[in-house]
Amino acid sequence: MELGELAERERRILALERRGFSGPGAKERAVREELGLAPVRYYQLLNALLDDPRALACDPVTVNRLRRIRESRRAER
């Protein structure tokens, strides 16, 4: 992997975030089945990925959307 390139798992996390999910639990089920991760670990990795400039370069629309959501949730607290 070259410097500046996301790992396969990181790209798959961003790809999962681009998708829409139909019902309660659907996203968590996809996280477990497709990535083999517990939802808590998935969200830890996703949160770190949102601060990674490589992720922003790879998928700016998704990363910026998720950053806005994260910031609005922080502001609500």
Side-chain angles (χ1 to χ4, degrees), residues 1-76:
M1 181 173 70
E2 293 178 20
L3 186 64
E5 207 177 285
L6 290 177
E8 175 66 22
R9 180 168 72 174
E10 294 167 326
R11 289 193 302 273
R12 291 177 66 201
I13 288 171
L14 289 176
L16 194 83
E17 285 299 318
R18 283 192 297 270
R19 292 170 33 195
F21 292 95
S22 56
K27 183 176 183 179
E28 286 74 16
R29 194 165 36 259
V31 166
R32 287 182 192 279
E33 291 173 3
E34 296 174 26
L35 300 176
L37 294 170
V40 170
R41 182 65 181 141
Y42 172 80
Y43 287 111
Q44 289 171 339
L45 293 169
L46 176 61
N47 201 41
L49 201 49
L50 295 183
D51 296 325
D52 189 329
R54 297 172 306 149
L56 183 61
C58 177
D59 191 347
V61 173
T62 301
V63 171
N64 282 323
R65 177 179 58 84
L66 293 170
R67 283 178 174 179
R68 284 191 303 273
I69 292 168
R70 181 175 69 177
E71 289 307 312
S72 69
R73 288 183 178 154
R74 284 181 179 168
E76 289 173 4

